[in-house]
Amino acid sequence: MADRRGPLLIIGGHEDKDGDRLILGELARLLDGGRLVLATVASHEPDGYFEAYEKAFAALGVTDLVELYVHERSDSGEPEALAKLDGAAGVFFTGGDQLRISSQIGDTPVERRILELHRAGGVIAGTSAGASVMSETMLVKGPSAESYRIGELHMAPGLGLMRHVIIDQHFAERGRYGRLLGAVAHNPRLLGVGIDEDTALLVRGDEGRVLGAGAVYVVDGEEASHSNIAEARADRALSIFDVRMHVLSSGDRFDFIRRRPACGSDEPED
């Protein structure tokens, strides 16, 4: 059976909303005039999120825009929340706290409806926390801009829209190299994907293409020859040998099955 899953647009945060809006413009193109559900679930105080995106998307011709927010987990089964997803072409998770997304909608009718939409060809986008939650295992918190200490990383189940990876965002800007290496050391079967601000990875099937101003970093620990993750004290710095890292800029591609990068073009896909 052909894979009908829609594209994933995974954004590192702080995407341009006032200038050329390259990334939001790509989302508008993928929607092709359809309805976009703006899921502000990650925020404890969502006021202002919808209005900011409504203005940005209006300039791109996206006018059929509705907000999905749940105050409590019990709201994720309410007909009013589910009705927001009826007929939608895509869902966009905004930033905040990724644990709030998974704890409020994980294994609920809202999550199941979103997964159905994706399997039927709908686009799912997410920025910042909305990017991290797309993976099956997600980074919740850990220190930035310093070497990773073995006991400092916190992970939790994500929405599982993209398997076999773990995603971090605001990557170079917040110096999150250490914690992504730590995440890969915990489970070398996972590819670590770090996405800079105003940068996105557009995933179709098993291939991703980079767009935006920054870079996407892919950490591959499959051939790591040593790690102290299981033996060392919790306050000990991570030790890991023979890790491979790829740095991809706009237009470059990555094959997640072959675990290989390829040069590409900045031109948008048809």
Side-chain angles (χ1 to χ4, degrees), residues 114-176:
I114 290 170
L115 295 178
E116 288 170 3
L117 187 155
H118 181 234
R119 286 194 294 267
V123 57
I124 308 295
T127 184
S128 190
S132 287
V133 80
M134 290 198 185
S135 52
E136 191 171 27
T137 301
M138 69 176 181
L139 271 167
V140 176
K141 63 180 178 179
S144 300
E146 60 187 63
S147 294
Y148 169 65
R149 306 284 168 177
I150 289 169
E152 293 178 328
L153 199 64
H154 297 268
M155 293 184 280
L159 298 183
L161 289 157
M162 192 173 182
R163 300 180 182 275
H164 312 305
V165 303
I166 190 162
I167 299 166
D168 209 351
Q169 17 77 14
H170 300 283
F171 193 68
E173 291 80 6
R174 299 187 185 178
R176 288 178 164 172

Side-chain angles (χ1 to χ4, degrees), residues 11-17 23-24 53 92 127-128 197-199:
I11 309 165
H14 288 178
E15 68 281 357
D16 176 23
K17 300 182 188 67
I23 294 170
L24 296 184
Y53 279 105
F92 181 20
T127 184
S128 190
E197 293 176 359
D198 196 27
T199 307

